[in-house]
Amino acid sequence: MPTRIKICGITRTEDAIAASAAGAHAIGLMFYAKSPRNLDYEQAARIRDSLPPFVSAVAVFLDPDAEQVKAVVRSVEPDFLQFHGSEPESFCSGFGVPYIKTIPMQGTDPVAFADKYPSAVAFLLDGHAVGEAGGSGRGFDLSRIPDQLGAPLILAGGLAPSNVATAVRQARPFAVDVSSGVESAPGIKDAALIQAFVKGVNSGDLQ
């Protein structure tokens, strides 16, 4: 099965359209005030509405309160939620929307971590440590990826057009996730880099 592609940290409708046109299967919309990619609900809804059929919108949070998540679900109508912090399973599963849980790969046993979230529809493996925000572009040793975590694996952390083919070939993830690796500035995506990233993913699938 071809590796799915998520372009995260989208802040402009033109970037969402460029990602979709290049072949991305999902985009990520950030709701974290400290991030340069943070969105208000109206911005996010406009971007969501620009997506063609069969391209998913993922709302990304880090230790939000329940009211924020409810407001995003109501205003933006995301297809998935993605939680990057210390949110317990009871919180993640409480909004009636399928969720993805991020596993910080620095200093973490990914299997033990995943066991705490049996209701997650996927796990995103990122290169940050517990308590860090993620999205730093830091990679990790791909040999640490377990064979099974009970849900599909999304590979993130340090991916770019120059290395994603090798990462796909080595890890064979269900999906890959990129943000800073396809940007010209924080929150500003580069259409040519997105196209090169998708080409790299497709190349890795064929190797």
Side-chain angles (χ1 to χ4, degrees), residues 94-188:
F95 302 98
V97 181
Y99 77 91
I100 299 161
K101 188 70 182 84
T102 295
I103 298 179
M105 293 296 287
Q106 297 296 327
T108 302
D109 177 349
V111 175
F113 193 102
D115 284 346
K116 299 176 183 178
Y117 298 89
S119 60
V121 297
F123 292 106
L124 186 145
L125 308 185
D126 205 349
H128 65 284
V130 174
E132 295 180 348
S136 64
R138 185 193 313 170
F140 62 92
D141 181 358
L142 298 183
S143 69
R144 295 191 59 234
I145 297 176
D147 291 334
Q148 295 289 335
L149 283 178
L153 282 179
I154 304 169
L155 180 61
L159 297 179
S162 60
N163 64 12
V164 70
T166 299
V168 166
R169 186 181 70 247
Q170 291 180 356
R172 298 299 180 195
F174 172 78
V176 290
D177 185 300
V178 65
S179 182
S180 60
V182 294
E183 288 183 336
S184 58
I188 306 301

